[in-house]
Amino acid sequence: MRSTYLLVDLFTIIVPFLFSFHPKLRFHLYFKYFFAANFVAGFIFICWDIYFTKLGVWGFNPEYVLGAYVYNLPVEEILFFICIPFSCVFTYHCLNIFYKFQWKKKNIDVFIIILSLILFITGVSFYYKLYTSSTFISLSLLLLFLHFYIKVNWLSKLFTIYPVLLIPFFIVNGILTGTGLENPVVWYNNSHNLGIRLLTIPLEDIFYGLELIILNISIFEYLKKKYLSEKKII
């Protein structure tokens, strides 16, 4: 039982890692961009995680972790911020190769504005619930910043792909939040979230996961684009 969280991490990443070397996918060529992006995004989310664990917003069941900790986080939680983004960015990379997802500019503009407004208003309305407010407000601002200021061109692709990513998300997060287990691997203090659960998964996790993926992809795409543009110049 103490290897449960570690096994979840390993099973999440093993197949995407092996298929990264497939000749049609060749994601291994982009490893350095992913891990550079993941280092920055992971650092931000790990600091967030450490702080919220200290405040009791969430915590970890010692029955399901090996017992090695970094500050107050089990090492499996650190690995989570590598394994999950790797699998998601790999899936994004693969689907982007085989399918061309692109919304009309007006449609993505309206979608980002409406989603950001809903997230921001909800976050402000529930300012006293730390998980809800911090996740919803930060995601709304990140979306507006990337779409209207940085003007990235991949958000419509991600929002098309995200429903696919939610399938393994429900499996992984379901296990971590207690589906099929006597107790959850990761527990949540409901006084800091809306109390809305999808099976055992807090609603906020969907948007927390989305923000984690967006931050990884934004840096990954920036580094990849910069490399390709420099290569053309050379």
Side-chain angles (χ1 to χ4, degrees), residues 52-109:
F52 272 27
T53 301
K54 182 179 179 180
L55 293 178
V57 176
W58 53 58
F60 308 93
N61 191 331
E63 295 179 1
Y64 296 110
V65 298
L66 296 177
Y69 287 80
V70 177
Y71 289 97
N72 54 3
L73 301 184
V75 68
E76 294 90 341
E77 178 76 350
I78 305 296
L79 292 175
F80 175 92
F81 291 107
I82 300 172
C83 297
I84 299 300
F86 183 92
S87 300
C88 291
V89 175
F90 168 79
T91 305
Y92 164 85
H93 169 80
C94 294
L95 293 176
N96 203 25
I97 290 174
F98 296 108
Y99 303 98
K100 299 303 177 184
F101 304 108
Q102 197 68 47
W103 299 5
K104 291 181 180 179
K105 185 179 184 305
K106 181 179 179 181
N107 292 343
I108 188 63
D109 286 351

Side-chain angles (χ1 to χ4, degrees), residues 52 57 122-135 189-195 204:
F52 272 27
V57 176
T122 305
V124 171
S125 299
F126 292 93
Y127 68 92
Y128 52 90
K129 293 182 177 290
L130 291 179
Y131 190 20
T132 306
S133 60
S134 62
T135 301
N189 183 343
N190 283 337
S191 63
H192 291 297
N193 61 60
L194 294 174
E204 287 83 354

Side-chain angles (χ1 to χ4, degrees), residues 13-159:
I13 198 173
I14 186 65
V15 173
F17 177 78
L18 292 176
F19 273 89
S20 296
F21 300 92
H22 191 285
K24 289 187 178 180
L25 303 177
R26 301 193 298 173
F27 185 62
H28 68 284
L29 298 178
Y30 302 102
F31 276 4
K32 59 183 177 181
Y33 309 119
F34 167 76
F35 285 110
N38 181 249
F39 178 83
V40 177
F43 178 79
I44 293 171
F45 271 80
I46 288 169
C47 289
W48 183 355
D49 202 348
I50 290 171
Y51 183 58
F52 272 27
T53 301
K54 182 179 179 180
L55 293 178
V57 176
W58 53 58
F60 308 93
N61 191 331
E63 295 179 1
Y64 296 110
V65 298
L66 296 177
Y69 287 80
V70 177
Y71 289 97
N72 54 3
L73 301 184
V75 68
E76 294 90 341
E77 178 76 350
I78 305 296
L79 292 175
F80 175 92
F81 291 107
I82 300 172
C83 297
I84 299 300
F86 183 92
S87 300
C88 291
V89 175
F90 168 79
T91 305
Y92 164 85
H93 169 80
C94 294
L95 293 176
N96 203 25
I97 290 174
F98 296 108
Y99 303 98
K100 299 303 177 184
F101 304 108
Q102 197 68 47
W103 299 5
K104 291 181 180 179
K105 185 179 184 305
K106 181 179 179 181
N107 292 343
I108 188 63
D109 286 351
V110 171
F111 180 82
I112 294 295
I113 290 172
I114 292 175
L115 178 59
S116 297
L117 278 174
I118 292 172
L119 289 170
F120 188 81
I121 292 171
T122 305
V124 171
S125 299
F126 292 93
Y127 68 92
Y128 52 90
K129 293 182 177 290
L130 291 179
Y131 190 20
T132 306
S133 60
S134 62
T135 301
F136 285 18
I137 292 173
S138 60
L139 178 56
S140 68
L141 296 178
L142 179 62
L143 288 172
L144 292 172
F145 175 74
L146 289 175
H147 186 67
F148 292 105
Y149 185 76
I150 303 296
K151 300 183 185 299
V152 300
N153 62 359
W154 47 263
L155 277 174
S156 61
K157 300 176 186 178
L158 177 61
F159 281 114

